[in-house]
Amino acid sequence: VRRRSFIESGNLHRWILFIILLFLQERYMPGNYADKNIRLARTLRKSMTPEERHLWYDFLRTYPVKFYRQKCIDRYIVDFYCRQASLVIEIDGSQHYEEKGIADDARRTKILQSYHLSVMRFTNLDIRHHFLDVCTAIDQYVKQKVHNVIWSK
């Protein structure tokens, strides 16, 4: 019995479509990333900063809309991500206010915005000293963007 080729079996179009979809997924869709970023994100989840831990455990983890922590998007790992609100939340330490940090953050924000994501940035000091204001800002933004969630308080 002779094996049939892809062309003879009629499956060539399926393989071509599969390869095209893989290419598009790698190139254009957020959330696809290298294995090393997955491992790094897992490590970062286990070793969050005190400010990230505070925001996660005291607000975002039980928020009515799903948030992810240390989520890979493009070549970056963002602190927090909400798919439903197309929102990225970044908690910035002091290195983000040096010249290089400012330039890196601007480049990173531009790439994230190319995926139609909004980026909210808060400082470590905001989390420590104005936690309720931070939570209120996030809550107002998400409620404005997500209309189909039953808000219970």
Side-chain angles (χ1 to χ4, degrees), residues 111-123:
I111 289 171
L112 293 171
Q113 288 172 337
S114 74
Y115 290 111
H116 306 285
L117 299 173
S118 296
V119 179
M120 293 180 88
R121 292 187 174 280
F122 301 100
T123 66

Side-chain angles (χ1 to χ4, degrees), residues 125-150:
L125 290 175
D126 290 334
I127 301 296
R128 278 188 230 132
H129 301 296
H130 307 287
F131 185 70
L132 290 178
D133 295 334
V134 169
C135 295
T136 300
I138 294 168
D139 184 54
Q140 288 175 347
Y141 181 86
V142 173
K143 283 181 177 177
Q144 178 185 357
K145 293 289 279 188
V146 181
H147 303 290
N148 59 350
V149 174
I150 297 172

Side-chain angles (χ1 to χ4, degrees), residues 12-148:
L12 180 62
H13 69 282
R14 288 186 183 142
W15 281 104
I16 291 171
L17 181 61
F18 176 73
I19 291 168
I20 290 170
L21 287 174
L22 276 179
F23 171 77
L24 292 174
Q25 187 177 25
E26 282 297 314
R27 186 116 197 242
Y28 298 108
M29 293 184 184
N32 296 297
Y33 34 82
D35 286 341
K36 66 180 181 176
N37 274 359
I38 293 173
R39 287 191 297 274
L40 179 58
R42 285 182 185 144
T43 301
L44 290 172
R45 276 184 221 117
K46 294 175 185 172
S47 60
M48 291 191 295
T49 67
E51 293 78 14
E52 290 170 344
R53 190 175 288 112
H54 182 30
L55 185 60
W56 176 251
Y57 286 107
D58 297 331
F59 184 63
L60 296 177
R61 186 173 138 207
T62 58
Y63 195 74
V65 177
K66 176 78 172 154
F67 274 88
Y68 299 89
R69 56 191 169 133
Q70 309 303 335
K71 177 71 175 161
C72 297
I73 299 175
D74 200 280
R75 63 180 170 262
Y76 298 109
I77 300 173
V78 301
D79 292 334
F80 301 102
Y81 169 66
C82 177
R83 184 189 55 77
Q84 287 178 283
S86 300
L87 176 64
V88 168
I89 299 172
E90 293 282 30
I91 309 299
D92 295 339
S94 60
Q95 73 276 12
H96 292 269
Y97 299 101
E98 298 169 2
E99 191 173 325
K100 183 184 180 324
I102 292 170
D104 290 345
D105 285 346
R107 191 171 26 259
R108 177 182 175 116
T109 297
K110 187 174 182 177
I111 289 171
L112 293 171
Q113 288 172 337
S114 74
Y115 290 111
H116 306 285
L117 299 173
S118 296
V119 179
M120 293 180 88
R121 292 187 174 280
F122 301 100
T123 66
N124 285 338
L125 290 175
D126 290 334
I127 301 296
R128 278 188 230 132
H129 301 296
H130 307 287
F131 185 70
L132 290 178
D133 295 334
V134 169
C135 295
T136 300
I138 294 168
D139 184 54
Q140 288 175 347
Y141 181 86
V142 173
K143 283 181 177 177
Q144 178 185 357
K145 293 289 279 188
V146 181
H147 303 290
N148 59 350

